[in-house]
Amino acid sequence: MQRRAVAVYVALFLVVGTAAGVLIATAETPEITFDDPDFELSEGDSFEVDGQEYTVADITETEAEDDVGDVEIERSGQLEWEAVVEQSETWANESVVELDDGEWRVHIEGEDPTAFTLVEVLDRDAILSEDPAADNETVERDGEEYVVVTDEDGESRLVPADDYFPAPEERSYSAGDSLEYDGHSVTVDAVTEDGVTLVWEGPETSTMDVDQEERITLGDTDFIAYFPDGETMVLSSDFEAYEAQLAEIDRLDQQAEGIWRVLIISVLSSLLVIAAAFVPSRY
């Protein structure tokens, strides 16, 4: 009679455990979905937010094993855009800069300057090579530099270099003045003893790395980024729907944990009842 009762209890626990096992085996954690996302994008697609155009520069998918050997899939992407920003450059005092297809030396005078001068750097070699009457290089006599010039009679004479070469062009600028430089219209922002600071507005490429389910801000708009596969990036501003799905997934996870407990308790109870059945009776 005792063993018959044990068999009934064991069968009951096994039925409960089997039902729990079936639920665990067939249960699937739902994936995040967006019925009407703001953007559903592939690599190379462009989209606009608050007047700014963005491009999906990259979408990647990688697989890695965790500590217990399960394969985890990680997805991410990168956004790229161009924005007009203020850029700057500093010319050091007495440095040489390229301007208008030529070279110019930056010259600043005084202890508290408000202006500077660009002094043309003459290409003396080019000037000498273009003059058939002059030697292609200068000579030095008694510490002075000369150009050897041959007249029509074949006689050579020494011409002081300062007299032979033209006076270099000079251009003066003050803080607030504008000039053309490197394809930009630049403004003299500040002049100090050490150098000149130029500013201008120009395009600059920026990038943003985007991870799975990351909250990002584009312009004045917040989005949740989601990668349903290795080729698609979804951007949605519907945080209410996203939070509701997270809550549902959390609820299902808690239910799954409860079912696991039922399965474990059922198995342990069955073993305990079976063990108790073999305990010798004192009566």
Side-chain angles (χ1 to χ4, degrees):
M1 185 67 181
Q2 180 181 359
R3 293 186 177 179
R4 185 178 301 172
V6 168
V8 172
Y9 282 117
V10 170
L12 177 61
F13 287 133
L14 290 178
V15 168
V16 174
T18 301
V22 170
L23 289 175
I24 292 173
T26 57
E28 293 184 0
T29 301
E31 294 185 354
I32 300 291
T33 59
F34 296 94
D35 295 332
D36 188 22
D38 295 76
F39 302 101
E40 188 169 349
L41 307 158
S42 299
E43 188 172 313
D45 287 351
S46 297
F47 61 102
E48 186 175 308
V49 178
D50 297 333
Q52 175 67 55
E53 185 175 274
Y54 300 85
T55 300
V56 180
D58 183 49
I59 296 177
T60 58
E61 180 180 80
T62 58
E63 294 184 358
E65 287 190 3
D66 59 17
D67 296 336
V68 296
D70 293 334
V71 176
E72 293 184 347
I73 298 177
E74 296 182 355
R75 299 179 181 128
S76 61
Q78 186 180 75
L79 298 178
E80 184 178 275
W81 68 95
E82 280 195 353
V84 176
V85 298
E86 184 177 87
Q87 302 181 26
S88 65
E89 183 174 326
T90 299
W91 292 345
N93 190 17
E94 300 304 327
S95 64
V96 175
V97 298
E98 292 187 3
L99 188 72
D100 295 340
D101 298 325
E103 292 186 336
W104 301 74
R105 182 169 52 84
V106 180
H107 181 65
I108 304 173
E109 292 183 346
E111 296 182 355
D112 190 18
T114 58
F116 71 99
T117 301
L118 290 178
V119 182
E120 181 185 14
V121 178
L122 297 176
D123 188 348
R124 291 189 169 191
D125 291 338
I127 294 174
L128 291 174
S129 64
E130 291 175 358
D131 186 355
D135 286 358
N136 288 336
E137 58 183 21
T138 60
V139 296
E140 189 172 311
R141 297 286 189 274
D142 299 326
E144 297 291 334
E145 188 178 19
Y146 295 90
V147 176
V148 179
V149 179
T150 304
D151 59 23
E152 296 178 354
D153 297 329
E155 295 184 1
S156 298
R157 59 189 177 90
L158 297 178
V159 179
D162 290 342
D163 294 337
Y164 176 84
F165 293 107
E169 181 184 351
E170 295 186 0
R171 301 177 183 178
S172 296
Y173 299 93
S174 301
D177 289 347
S178 297
L179 64 148
E180 292 297 319
Y181 171 65
D182 196 24
H184 305 286
S185 178
V186 302
T187 300
V188 180
D189 185 60
V191 181
T192 66
E193 296 179 43
D194 298 325
V196 179
T197 301
L198 307 174
V199 296
W200 69 94
E201 288 189 344
E204 183 178 74
T205 300
S206 300
T207 59
M208 175 190 292
D209 293 327
V210 183
D211 293 327
Q212 181 72 293
E213 296 186 48
E214 181 181 3
R215 294 172 181 252
I216 63 173
T217 300
L218 301 179
D220 296 325
T221 307
D222 294 331
F223 296 96
I224 185 71
Y226 186 72
F227 300 87
D229 53 54
E231 298 179 349
T232 307
M233 175 191 292
V234 172
L235 297 179
S236 176
S237 58
D238 190 352
F239 286 94
E240 184 177 349
Y242 172 68
E243 296 291 349
Q245 292 185 73
L246 289 183
E248 178 64 15
I249 291 174
D250 184 62
R251 185 184 67 82
L252 293 175
D253 287 343
Q254 291 180 4
Q255 287 183 351
E257 290 180 6
I259 294 173
W260 268 108
R261 293 192 185 97
V262 170
L263 175 61
I264 294 171
I265 292 173
S266 297
V267 173
L268 293 177
S269 298
S270 299
L271 295 176
L272 182 61
V273 170
I274 292 172
F278 289 94
V279 175
S281 176
R282 298 177 59 184
Y283 302 98

